[in-house]
Amino acid sequence: MTDIIDRLKKVRKGAMFIIEGPSGTGKGTIAKELLKRDSNIKFSVSVTTRKPRPGEQEGVDYYFVTNEQYNEFMAQDAFYEFVDSQYGDRYGTLRSEVDSFINVGQDVLFDMDWAGARQMKEKAKDDVVTIYLLPPSIKELRHRLENRGTDSKELIEKRMNLILDKISHWDEFDYVIVNVNIEETVLKIQKIISGERMKRVRQVGLKGFVKELVREAQDD
């Protein structure tokens, strides 16, 4: 029985899990927990033109590129999705980065803007699963932004002013979670991932397995 399960896992197609929500809803923390707890999930390292934040590493958090390099990727149609953020920076997801994982049955996790998620849905369709995080309140969201200590007061205000636009896209997503508690949210997303892995469209090895069952039943 274990051999059968292992064989089916090897021929499963990976899924693309996108997590989105306003700044301060805990996307980064949740993504790190999911990656730590599940070795079959890989983080999609995006391309960005913004400068690295303290502690960020090239090729781990992002591929940091110039605008000229970004334009070259655009000309080559190398992105699954790309977006200019509200803060003036540009982001893109490389097709080669993602395909190298999902084609061997590994899932890919994205922390992505709603506009990027929409592009991914259009291009990759059934391979994409979208999850939207909502804060328990706007007051709590501001509190989280102020406490994390990574943004200036001006940037915090800019993020707060964009909340209404961000939240207006919540109903474009497959799943919506109010992130009151990080641990509870992580467990909910793990259940979503587990269920999505069992969908027929991703279990590409089932067709051959069912043929074997039919042949066995006919010979019995």
Side-chain angles (χ1 to χ4, degrees), residues 17-20 27-28 31 43-44 46 62 109-113:
F17 293 96
I18 298 174
I19 299 178
E20 160 67 323
K27 299 189 297 292
F43 184 71
S44 172
S46 300
Y62 288 97
L109 185 65
F110 304 81
D111 173 357
M112 186 179 291
D113 185 271

Side-chain angles (χ1 to χ4, degrees), residues 94-113:
L94 293 170
R95 293 176 184 268
S96 58
E97 175 83 9
V98 177
D99 291 347
S100 67
F101 293 127
I102 67 169
N103 288 339
V104 295
Q106 293 181 317
D107 301 311
V108 185
L109 185 65
F110 304 81
D111 173 357
M112 186 179 291
D113 185 271

